């Protein structure tokens, strides 16, 4: 289970050390992933019965671990976030509790700290088979069947040796689990007419594309693991930040902003 975090960290380090226009974002994200892994590991070190899936109760376990995440952000983040982290580090613990509880019930992709802290918590619950209370799935295929989160990124991979075109999965923005999704469908509104769905890609990011919908004007990025097997969809999604600028300029909004805010 920790392998997941190590894989993300390794990929972020690798991309941050290469010739990328998103070097600073990736360097910060690599540190953030390390802090998220620490939260995940700290949760795992307690007896399983100590987590109920009810965030209000589980805050006692989560609280000591989240300080290191705030410290990481205070050290490595862009200035605006850095200042916010310092405020939270000095804030009354009720302030942080309230922020987390609000996000848990009604998530918003511009709530950076709550999302960063609750991703490893939600992932821990998902991996441990503990049902998240207050996060019941809305049903339907376009939100996470486990926690009801929105899709952060889509990816293609060959699940069977015989499969040539690859299966499509979505990764949940909250618990980071994957679920299967049909290939030619908008992940936001369910549009299926091929004429309404556009795929855009730039030679700079050969294994990544923008999957856009002209009905709801939303997009998500797709990472093609059949082209680049060692890519990590969450990290490569951030690496390809220029594609977000392109999509925005063409009038599309992202279904869920990533942790870097793009
Ligand atoms: Zn989820
Ligand atoms: Zn749509």
């Amino acid at each position: 289970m920790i392998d997941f975090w190590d894989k993300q960290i390794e990929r972020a380090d690798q991309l941050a050390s290469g010739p990328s226009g998103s070097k600073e974002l990736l360097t910060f994200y690599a540190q953030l992933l390390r802090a998220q892994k620490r939260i995940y590991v700290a949760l795992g070190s307690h007896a399983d019965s100590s987590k109920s899936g009810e965030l209000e109760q589980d805050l006692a376990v989560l609280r000591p671990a989240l300080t290191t995440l705030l410290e990481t952000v205070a050290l490595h983040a862009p200035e605006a976030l850095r200042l916010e982290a310092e405020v939270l580090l000095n804030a009354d613990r009720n302030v942080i509790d309230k922020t987390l509880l609000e996000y848990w019930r009604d998530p918003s992709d511009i709530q950076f700290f709550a999302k960063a802290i609750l991703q490893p918590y939600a992932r821990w619950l998902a991996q441990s088979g503990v049902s998240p209370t207050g996060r019941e799935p809305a049903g339907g295929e376009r939100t996470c069947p486990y926690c009801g989160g929105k899709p952060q990124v889509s990816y293609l991979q060959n699940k069977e040796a015989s499969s040539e075109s690859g299966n499509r999965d979505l990764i949940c923005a909250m618990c980071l689990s994957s679920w299967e999704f049909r290939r030619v469908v908008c992940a936001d509104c369910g549009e299926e007419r091929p004429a309404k769905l556009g795929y855009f890609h730039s030679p700079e990011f050969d294994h990544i594309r923008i999957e856009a919908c002209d009905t709801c004007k939303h997009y998500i990025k797709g990472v093609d693991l059949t082209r680049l097997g060692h890519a990590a969809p969450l990290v490569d999604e951030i690496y390809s930040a220029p594609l977000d600028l392109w999509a925005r300029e063409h009038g599309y909004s992202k279904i869920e902003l990533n942790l870097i805010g793009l």
Side-chain angles (χ1 to χ4, degrees):
M1 289 185 191
I2 292 171
D3 289 355
F4 167 84
W5 297 104
D6 288 337
K7 173 155 189 349
Q8 315 305 309
I9 292 166
E10 195 182 312
R11 181 66 177 153
D13 282 346
Q14 184 196 5
L15 288 172
S17 64
S20 163
S22 311
K23 199 182 268 293
E24 280 178 28
L25 295 180
L26 289 162
T27 305
F28 169 52
Y29 189 47
Q31 294 301 332
L32 191 59
L33 283 165
R34 285 178 168 85
Q36 289 189 304
K37 178 188 168 184
R38 280 195 284 273
I39 292 181
Y40 185 90
V41 171
L43 288 168
S45 69
H46 291 73
D48 291 359
S49 58
S50 66
K51 262 89 58 192
S52 63
E54 168 74 58
L55 179 61
E56 203 156 354
Q57 280 184 41
D58 293 344
L59 278 173
V61 189
L62 199 53
R63 234 179 253 121
L66 63 83
T67 309
T68 51
L69 186 137
L70 295 177
E71 285 167 355
T72 297
V73 177
L75 269 178
H76 298 284
E79 195 179 0
L81 267 186
R82 208 155 59 207
L83 296 175
E84 222 180 306
E86 278 162 17
V87 170
L88 284 174
L89 276 168
N90 294 312
D92 189 273
R93 85 174 196 200
N94 294 332
V95 175
I96 297 173
D97 288 3
K98 191 164 166 274
T99 308
L100 296 180
L101 288 167
E102 276 174 7
Y103 182 90
W104 191 244
R105 289 186 201 112
D106 187 18
S108 148
D109 56 6
I110 54 170
Q111 290 275 357
F112 168 82
F113 287 98
K115 183 172 175 179
I117 290 165
L118 290 176
Q119 275 183 343
Y121 169 68
R123 182 167 176 83
W124 196 95
L125 294 180
Q127 297 280 307
S128 311
V130 180
S131 294
T133 309
R135 291 279 316 159
E136 282 78 8
E141 60 181 349
R142 300 195 296 276
T143 53
C144 171
Y146 171 72
C147 78
K150 286 188 184 180
Q152 182 74 76
V153 60
S154 140
Y155 65 95
L156 296 175
Q157 67 174 346
N158 289 329
K159 285 185 180 165
E160 292 154 27
S162 60
S163 155
E164 275 179 22
S165 52
N167 294 79
R168 186 184 185 201
D169 286 71
L170 301 177
I171 294 184
C172 172
M174 172 70 101
C175 72
L176 310 178
S177 309
S178 300
W179 74 96
E180 271 185 40
F181 196 69
R182 287 173 294 151
R183 270 193 81 142
V184 187
V185 179
C186 169
D188 192 64
C189 74
E191 177 61 79
E192 303 180 349
R193 288 171 292 175
K196 295 285 183 186
L197 302 169
Y199 301 97
F200 305 98
H201 129 282
S202 132
E204 196 190 342
F205 304 103
D206 196 40
H207 63 299
I208 303 170
R209 64 182 188 178
I210 294 281
E211 301 172 349
C213 171
D214 279 324
T215 300
C216 68
K217 293 304 234 180
H218 280 96
Y219 78 96
I220 190 167
K221 276 191 217 162
V223 177
D224 190 346
L225 298 179
T226 69
R227 280 173 185 246
L228 193 66
H230 66 274
L234 285 169
V235 182
D236 288 60
E237 203 275 335
I238 285 176
Y239 162 63
S240 56
L243 295 180
D244 291 294
L245 303 181
W246 182 91
R248 211 179 299 162
E249 276 166 19
H250 288 77
Y252 298 109
S253 316
K254 209 173 195 178
I255 295 177
E256 167 90 13
L257 297 177
N258 62 34
L259 261 189
I260 304 300
L262 289 171

